[in-house]
Amino acid sequence: MSENKFYDQSAKDVIKLLSSDKDQGLTAAAAADLLAKYGHNALNEAKRTTLLQKFINQFKDFMIAILAVAAVVAALTGEVVDAIFILLVVVLNAIFGVFQESKAEDAIEALKQMSTPNANVLRDGKVLSVPATDLVVGDIVLLEAGDIIPADLRLIDVSSLKIEEAALTGESVAVEKSAGVLRAKNPGLGDRHNMAFMNTNATYGRATGIVVATGMQTEVGHIANMLEQTEETATPLQMNLKQLGKTLTYLILVISLIVFVIGMLKGAENFINMLLTAISIAVAAIPEGLPAIVTITLALGTGRLAKKNALMRRLAAVETLGSTQIIGSDKTGTLTQNKMTVEKYVVDNQVYDAERSIEGDATAERLAVVMALNNDTKRTEEGLIGDPTETALITFNEKQNQDLDSLFDRMGRVAEIPFDSERKLMTTVNKHHGKYLITVKGAPDELLRRTSQIEIKGKIQPLTEENRQQLLEINHELAQQALRVLAFAFQNSDEVPGKMTSKLVEQNLVFAGFVAMIDPERPEVAQAVKEARQAGIRPIMITGDHRDTAAAIAIRLGILTKEQGPQAVITGAELDKISDEDFNDRVTQYSVYARVAPEHKVRIVHAWQKRDKIVAMTGDGVNDAPALKTADIGVAMGITGTEVSKGASDMVLADDNFATIVNAVKEGRTVFANIQKALQYLLSSNLAEVMTLFVMTIMGWNLFVPVMILWINLVTDTFPAIALGLEPTEPGIMQRPPRGKSSSFLSDGVGPAIVWQGIIQSLTVLSVYALAIAFPDHPGSQMLIHRDALTMSFMTLGLMQLVNAFNVKSVYQSILRVGPFKNKYFNGAILISLLSMAIVVLVPGLNGIFHVSDLNLHQWSIVLAASFSIIVVVEIVKLCQRKFFKKI
């Protein structure tokens, strides 16, 4: 039944098709049969994974699996300390991943929980209140203002019904409903005026409708189905780590094998010692601290973002923000305030800003009275309740310091003609000094046809044709600015009209003025859009609202320029006529998408992703959820956002502030840069270790024993690398272009820096070893000569890595410019690591364990000079890069 287009059939035909009865409804027996056959009016339960499954899933990462194997091998070969450390990192990483996953709300479950608890339904000729989950196709449902629509309905009888559908369509203004047949071909959801959709809200009037779809067959069920079928996108960070892990692992295994084979051929060690050395190289070269460092850096970034009102649901998404190239933003509630506001008013044929005081302006004061009286807004402790357009009129009066309580007491309503979509007018009759004031509001063209007079400067005079044309021109100009214009008129009467009909009452009116309203943009968004553009990010608007409204807001925010014009705006209907291939080619032409459905939003995200762009999607409604889940990073609104949009998102803005995204992007870039710094430090250090051992093996020199390698790996890798994740943001980070999908951790000069810094460290260590052999301090003993040489090169390797940690604070900038000691955590980490390296030699009891000897002052001076030489060399290389290659 869901495939029927009920909107293009008469209500009578729909009732007949669904075997129902307008006056009696379904019988209880028929409803029970249908419920048993088709099931409850509820969304599908989501598939859930157990905690154990979530924990096991954490080990599917290739690098984590390799580390787990390495830990087992290390334990079997006697290196228990290193094995425990690696396993601890792996297990903690898995536990943290499970914790994050368990905290995340499920989008489908949130959709299910949105269902209304009860509905008023006609069965066996009686009105019953039944659970909404028990509704079946064919049920006759009665709606009133304030009701949440319990299922998809074809409206039968309508009395001034308005439904707020922003969560489903993105349109902020409540939609006027009617019962007539729609003749348009394939109208969008927002244009199906004779339909009411599940989980939208009736804000005004009442109606009767017949259920045409329930559960997963409804429009919101369609979105739930899209969410079930949408796969979460792997973040660039996850893809980078996966690729890096594979590449490093393969390289390290090959190098370890080569070292083992060459060592055996040269007879440097026996089989067991050489095997242990090869395994030590593998364990030392794999940056086993990287997963922990990444997790900790992301967690710290998450904490900083939380203080800035950006709440992360997926850790890896923090980094993704920094690489974002496209931000597709919903308009209503995201770029705008989702609150209709009076922006201008027109009296005396002049346009005024709403901020202008009406005090002393007789015509403006009259207009304010008319708009307050011709209004059904209710004032409660929670605030104003009613149609958003009408609440905006009351808010305007309140801002103008009008005493509305006194006004309503003096001029109580005694009669009315409710609004209807055919005549597009609403009329009230109110008491006024023993007589009566008739107020009328509605569409400007309709109301002007019924006016014969106009109030100008407080005086009533005939409405001339010249005045009429001038007013129509003003209305047209305001409409072009995407302002919703309402006209107001009045008439004094000695008595309440005998018959409250449009023909008798709504004639010969006195024109009072226009009021122009809009859902205004958030004041901070224009600056945020500007900053996003400066950061190389392209903002686009994707909304269910009308073309002109969307374009006007986009121009005001800077998303669209006046020069771009209509060609940069496309509607959902126009999008339907374009093939995927054609759209993929043309997607860069459009900055604004209007009147779009949920599937359009997903299609737009896919089109940009096929151009290898990293896409962030913001939104707050049910209609945004599939696109939020499809995008590389989904950003939901925390205040106005539905639980569905939050459940499908990676990040939630606690303050619904678009500008918060810019801060989040900055934090994301900082996080990635800091991970790069940690990676540069780790890999350049590990490369130095591997190259040193490789050359020692080829040269037939004595090798570092496994405990030396593992100690350097344990002491120098962990704390400094983690502390690098706490580095402050580098200046100018938001002036850099986004990295994009093609970039990796080794981009932006990091890869080459790892190689040449690793080579320099290795050459320096080998030089110290050769120097110690050539000019020994204990020339009488070959054993002491080699032991001193190994000790000096061992200490040089460890200390130089720690000194080089200062260099990696920036790829190209001088250490003096970035500030070597700004990060107190880094300073502490370096100090602890230095002491840990020094005690191996300085504490006599440890000498035997680590196979090192005491060093004299001369030997220490060589070690320290060699260790700090890395600063001088790197500074010279960076200077040449900046001067000759214009690196910044």
Side-chain angles (χ1 to χ4, degrees):
M1 290 183 182
S2 62
E3 295 182 1
N4 282 292
K5 298 178 180 179
F6 297 104
Y7 55 79
D8 63 4
Q9 302 176 55
S10 69
K12 185 177 179 181
D13 289 342
V14 173
I15 293 170
K16 183 178 179 181
L17 177 67
L18 300 181
S19 304
S20 189
D21 186 289
K22 177 183 176 182
D23 300 316
Q24 297 294 314
L26 295 175
T27 64
D33 288 343
L34 288 169
L35 186 64
K37 185 176 181 180
Y38 295 107
H40 286 280
N41 176 32
L43 303 179
N44 291 345
E45 290 278 358
K47 296 177 182 177
R48 292 189 173 276
T49 56
T50 65
L51 282 175
L52 180 60
Q53 288 172 321
K54 289 175 183 175
F55 186 77
I56 293 171
N57 287 340
Q58 305 301 315
F59 293 90
K60 291 181 179 179
D61 180 86
F62 185 79
M63 193 170 180
I64 295 296
I66 289 294
L67 284 174
V69 173
V72 173
V73 173
L76 292 176
T77 55
E79 303 303 332
V80 179
V81 174
D82 207 65
I84 292 173
F85 175 72
I86 297 171
L87 281 175
L88 186 63
V89 168
V90 170
V91 172
L92 285 176
N93 190 71
I95 291 172
F96 205 88
V98 171
F99 177 70
Q100 285 296 117
E101 198 173 321
S102 299
K103 281 203 314 179
E105 301 86 358
D106 187 272
I108 304 298
E109 183 64 22
L111 272 168
K112 180 176 178 292
Q113 292 174 354
M114 286 177 62
S115 300
T116 57
N118 287 289
N120 293 321
V121 63
L122 187 64
R123 287 184 182 169
D124 292 318
K126 298 178 182 178
V127 177
L128 305 174
S129 178
V130 302
T133 53
D134 289 347
L135 288 181
V136 295
V137 171
D139 265 329
I140 305 297
V141 175
L142 283 65
L143 298 175
E144 293 182 354
D147 286 350
I148 298 175
I149 311 304
D152 283 4
L153 311 176
R154 167 62 164 92
L155 299 174
I156 301 170
D157 291 320
V158 173
S159 177
S160 305
L161 180 68
K162 293 184 181 181
I163 297 181
E164 191 271 304
E165 299 178 337
L168 191 64
T169 67
E171 185 173 356
S172 54
V173 179
V175 179
E176 298 169 7
K177 295 295 183 177
S178 62
V181 177
L182 295 185
R183 299 303 181 191
K185 186 178 180 181
N186 295 323
L189 290 181
D191 296 319
R192 297 179 192 177
H193 300 311
N194 58 8
M195 301 289 293
F197 301 109
M198 185 177 183
N199 289 334
T200 56
N201 303 292
T203 62
Y204 189 83
R206 57 186 181 274
T208 302
I210 182 170
V211 176
V212 296
T214 61
M216 294 299 289
Q217 301 303 312
T218 62
E219 291 297 331
V220 75
H222 173 58
I223 294 174
N225 189 54
M226 289 173 65
L227 281 173
E228 284 183 332
Q229 296 176 3
T230 301
E231 294 184 4
E232 285 196 1
T233 309
T235 68
L237 177 68
Q238 291 167 328
M239 292 186 287
N240 271 331
L241 281 176
K242 184 176 181 180
Q243 185 58 46
L244 179 65
K246 285 185 177 181
T247 304
L248 285 177
T249 302
Y250 292 144
L251 284 173
I252 289 161
L253 291 176
V254 169
I255 291 171
S256 297
L257 181 61
I258 292 172
V259 168
F260 174 78
V261 171
I262 293 175
M264 290 302 298
L265 291 175
K266 284 187 169 288
E269 298 283 353
N270 60 40
F271 178 82
I272 295 297
N273 286 342
M274 203 64 229
L275 178 62
L276 284 173
T277 299
I279 291 172
S280 298
I281 291 172
V283 173
I286 293 176
E288 72 276 358
L290 185 59
I293 290 161
V294 170
T295 300
I296 291 168
T297 303
L298 291 174
L300 293 170
T302 298
R304 290 192 294 269
L305 281 172
K307 294 177 182 178
K308 299 174 183 177
N309 295 311
L311 311 176
M312 303 307 302
R313 298 182 67 250
R314 293 172 67 199
L315 274 184
V318 178
E319 177 275 330
T320 311
L321 278 166
S323 56
T324 298
Q325 296 164 291
I326 306 294
I327 298 180
S329 177
D330 181 46
K331 178 183 74 68
T332 305
T334 308
L335 298 173
T336 64
Q337 299 175 27
N338 196 20
K339 182 176 65 177
M340 292 301 290
T341 304
V342 175
E343 186 161 289
K344 299 178 186 296
Y345 65 90
V346 178
V347 291
D348 302 333
N349 285 7
Q350 297 291 321
V351 181
Y352 298 102
D353 287 333
E355 287 75 21
R356 171 186 178 262
S357 175
I358 64 173
E359 187 176 355
D361 186 332
T363 314
E365 288 180 341
R366 169 81 74 174
L367 174 63
V369 169
V370 172
M371 72 169 75
L373 295 176
N374 196 299
N375 203 305
D376 288 328
T377 298
K378 300 291 188 294
R379 302 172 81 177
T380 68
E381 292 181 0
E382 289 75 28
L384 300 176
I385 295 178
D387 182 87
T389 301
E390 293 194 334
T391 58
L393 301 176
I394 295 298
T395 300
F396 171 81
N397 270 276
E398 290 178 340
K399 288 182 177 178
Q400 291 286 351
N401 299 315
Q402 299 298 294
D403 188 353
L404 295 182
D405 291 333
S406 175
L407 176 68
F408 295 146
D409 287 341
R410 296 194 324 267
M411 304 182 68
R413 185 183 303 181
V414 295
E416 64 181 74
I417 306 176
F419 176 89
D420 70 56
S421 57
E422 291 184 12
R423 76 183 207 288
K424 298 180 180 178
L425 298 172
M426 171 180 172
T427 296
T428 67
V429 181
N430 297 76
K431 294 181 291 186
H432 184 45
H433 299 308
K435 297 183 180 181
Y436 299 93
L437 176 69
I438 298 172
T439 71
V440 184
K441 78 161 180 250
D445 52 347
E446 290 292 333
L447 188 138
L448 282 171
R449 288 194 193 101
R450 301 162 191 257
T451 56
S452 58
Q453 296 174 292
I454 183 172
E455 181 173 356
I456 294 180
K457 304 296 184 183
K459 296 181 180 180
I460 297 174
Q461 59 191 54
L463 179 65
T464 65
E465 187 59 29
E466 181 182 353
N467 276 337
R468 191 185 303 274
Q469 290 304 317
Q470 188 176 357
L471 289 170
L472 288 171
E473 180 61 29
I474 290 173
N475 174 52
H476 177 69
E477 290 175 0
L478 293 173
Q480 283 189 318
Q481 300 172 41
L483 296 169
R484 188 180 187 211
V485 183
L486 279 180
F488 293 85
F490 66 94
Q491 187 181 70
N492 291 303
S493 176
D494 292 333
E495 57 186 16
V496 177
K499 290 184 178 181
M500 291 297 293
T501 65
S502 177
K503 187 175 181 179
L504 290 175
V505 179
E506 296 171 345
Q507 303 294 332
N508 298 316
L509 302 171
V510 180
F511 181 80
F514 290 146
V515 170
M517 290 173 285
I518 198 169
D519 177 11
E521 68 273 19
R522 292 178 175 272
E524 69 283 343
V525 170
Q527 179 61 27
V529 168
K530 182 179 179 182
E531 290 180 20
R533 287 191 177 280
Q534 289 175 344
I537 301 167
R538 178 173 177 175
I540 60 175
M541 180 190 290
I542 307 174
T543 178
D545 219 333
H546 291 281
R547 183 189 197 112
D548 291 344
T549 305
I553 291 292
I555 289 172
R556 289 163 67 153
L557 291 175
I559 293 174
L560 202 64
T561 64
K562 291 182 179 179
E563 291 73 26
Q564 287 177 299
Q567 63 269 20
V569 183
I570 186 171
T571 64
E574 292 168 339
L575 190 55
D576 285 332
K577 299 175 184 177
I578 304 175
S579 67
D580 285 342
E581 293 75 17
D582 191 17
F583 180 52
N584 292 342
D585 293 336
R586 295 163 54 183
V587 68
T588 57
Q589 299 176 16
Y590 308 115
S591 294
V592 176
Y593 299 82
R595 303 303 280 172
V596 293
E599 52 267 33
H600 291 138
K601 297 187 177 187
V602 174
R603 191 178 171 198
I604 293 163
V605 171
H606 275 313
W608 280 108
Q609 288 175 330
K610 285 178 181 177
R611 298 182 75 91
D612 288 329
K613 300 295 183 183
I614 294 177
V615 183
M617 173 68 188
T618 72
D620 62 348
V622 176
N623 60 315
D624 298 317
L628 291 177
K629 193 173 180 182
T630 303
D632 296 284
I633 178 164
V635 184
M637 302 296 111
I639 300 172
T640 59
T642 61
E643 289 304 308
V644 183
S645 63
K646 295 175 189 175
S649 68
D650 302 296
M651 182 174 84
V652 178
L653 301 183
D655 57 358
D656 284 16
N657 191 336
F658 184 86
T660 302
I661 298 174
V662 176
N663 289 328
V665 168
K666 184 177 181 181
E667 188 63 49
R669 292 188 175 190
T670 301
V671 164
F672 185 84
N674 286 349
I675 292 174
Q676 278 190 310
K677 292 168 187 175
L679 186 66
Q680 181 183 339
Y681 170 69
L682 288 172
L683 294 189
S684 62
S685 300
N686 292 0
L687 178 62
E689 294 170 18
V690 171
M691 283 190 63
T692 300
L693 286 165
F694 185 73
V695 173
M696 281 181 162
T697 303
I698 293 175
M699 297 295 291
W701 294 350
N702 286 8
L703 299 175
F704 294 142
V705 294
V707 71
M708 285 181 170
I709 302 169
L710 296 173
W711 183 253
I712 288 177
N713 192 53
L714 183 65
V715 168
T716 64
D717 279 9
T718 312
F719 295 116
I722 291 173
L724 283 168
L726 292 167
E727 281 292 296
T729 302
E730 287 185 54
I733 199 166
M734 287 299 284
Q735 274 66 56
R736 302 174 188 172
R739 297 187 311 277
K741 285 187 176 178
S742 60
S743 71
S744 71
F745 285 120
L746 305 181
S747 300
D748 307 317
V750 173
I754 289 171
V755 174
W756 66 260
Q757 289 178 18
I759 291 173
I760 289 171
Q761 290 180 72
S762 179
L763 290 175
T764 305
V765 172
L766 292 168
S767 298
V768 168
Y769 183 91
L771 183 67
I773 293 292
F775 303 100
D777 277 44
H778 299 90
S781 170
Q782 285 297 314
M783 186 187 75
L784 284 177
I785 290 172
H786 284 288
R787 189 157 184 161
D788 282 353
L790 277 177
T791 303
M792 291 173 67
S793 55
F794 165 65
M795 291 305 297
T796 301
L797 181 60
L799 297 182
M800 192 181 323
Q801 288 180 10
L802 296 175
V803 173
N804 192 51
F806 289 92
N807 289 322
V808 304
K809 286 173 176 275
S810 178
V811 177
Y812 299 116
Q813 293 301 318
S814 168
I815 191 175
L816 298 176
R817 183 179 177 189
V818 296
F821 304 111
K822 282 184 178 180
N823 183 351
K824 62 181 180 180
Y825 301 102
F826 177 81
N827 300 337
I830 293 295
L831 183 60
I832 291 171
S833 297
L834 282 171
L835 291 174
S836 299
M837 281 298 301
I839 61 172
V840 170
V841 175
L842 298 177
V843 177
L846 297 177
N847 289 12
I849 297 174
F850 287 92
H851 306 279
V852 296
S853 60
D854 291 326
L855 299 179
N856 59 36
L857 186 60
H858 172 252
Q859 291 169 321
W860 271 115
S861 65
I862 293 174
V863 168
L864 293 174
S867 300
F868 280 94
S869 68
I870 190 71
I871 291 282
V872 178
V873 174
V874 172
E875 282 292 298
I876 292 172
V877 173
K878 285 183 178 180
L879 179 63
C880 293
Q881 289 176 324
R882 293 194 301 272
K883 186 172 182 179
F884 299 112
F885 300 99
K886 308 301 180 185
K887 299 295 185 180
I888 57 172

